[in-house]
């Protein structure tokens, strides 16, 4: 099966995710991990906040970063599977994932029957 359309979507989404990640944090070695960045002007700003507010803001950034990073990993893994020829196979039953499902979510790792097995984010 030809997955050029899925690959195009995945590459597009990866670009967007990298942009978001770079806005929130900075890339560690080989863009495999991101950490929240506190910029100099933000640090000054944070001096005027009490500790609770600062922690809350930082925790929110870290949470957002983690969600985007997780998504980025999914996209990255899907692209790797396309390259290795294992893309579009349900990781639970080993059957082909429905084309419609891949169109809706190109980084899907399970078929429609098994998609509920994934814990909610
Ligand atoms: Zn399945």
């Amino acid at each position: 099966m030809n997955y050029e359309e899925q690959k195009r979507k995945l590459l597009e989404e990866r670009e967007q995710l990298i942009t978001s990640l770079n806005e929130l944090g900075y890339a560690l070695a080989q863009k495999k991990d991101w950490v929240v960045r506190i910029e100099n002007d933000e640090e000054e700003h944070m001096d005027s906040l009490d500790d609770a507010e600062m922690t809350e803001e930082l925790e929110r950034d870290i949470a957002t970063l983690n969600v985007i990073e997780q998504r980025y990993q999914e996209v990255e893994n899907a692209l790797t599977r396309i390259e290795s020829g294992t893309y579009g196979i349900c990781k639970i039953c080993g059957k082909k994932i429905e084309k419609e499902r891949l169109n809706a979510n190109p980084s899907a790792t399970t078929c429609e029957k098994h998609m509920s097995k994934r814990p909610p984010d």
Side-chain angles (χ1 to χ4, degrees), residues 14-15 18-19 21-22 26-34 69 72-73 76:
R14 186 170 69 169
E15 281 308 303
I18 288 172
T19 304
L21 285 165
N22 286 337
Y26 61 87
L28 294 176
Q30 284 131 26
K31 294 185 176 179
K32 292 291 183 205
D33 198 13
W34 276 265
E69 202 180 347
Y72 172 83
Q73 273 311 326
E76 193 65 44

Side-chain angles (χ1 to χ4, degrees), residues 4 7 10 17 20 24-25 27-28 31 44-45 47-48 50 62 64 66 84-85 89 91 112 114 121:
E4 280 306 309
K7 188 177 176 179
L10 285 163
L17 290 166
S20 304
L24 267 175
L28 294 176
K31 294 185 176 179
E44 279 170 36
H45 170 64
D47 284 344
S48 61
D50 62 41
I62 291 169
T64 308
N66 284 341
S84 64
I89 307 290
K91 67 176 178 185
E112 233 151 277
H114 294 115
D121 292 325

Side-chain angles (χ1 to χ4, degrees), residues 31-88:
K31 294 185 176 179
K32 292 291 183 205
D33 198 13
W34 276 265
V35 296
V36 169
R37 174 179 54 200
I38 302 172
E39 284 171 27
N40 286 335
D41 57 331
E42 267 180 55
E43 258 176 85
E44 279 170 36
H45 170 64
M46 279 182 173
D47 284 344
S48 61
L49 301 171
D50 62 41
D51 282 352
E53 269 182 288
M54 193 180 106
T55 307
E56 202 179 297
E57 193 169 317
L58 197 61
E59 274 176 6
R60 203 173 46 228
D61 278 0
I62 291 169
T64 308
L65 193 69
N66 284 341
V67 170
I68 302 171
E69 202 180 347
Q70 201 180 346
R71 183 74 196 149
Y72 172 83
Q73 273 311 326
E74 286 173 13
V75 170
E76 193 65 44
N77 291 343
L79 285 165
T80 305
R81 289 197 302 276
I82 289 178
E83 295 309 319
S84 64
T86 56
Y87 180 78

Side-chain angles (χ1 to χ4, degrees), residues 90-97 110-115:
C90 173
K91 67 176 178 185
I92 293 173
C93 66
K95 287 177 184 160
K96 275 187 180 171
I97 300 172
T110 54
C111 68
E112 233 151 277
K113 196 177 153 198
H114 294 115
M115 66 190 286

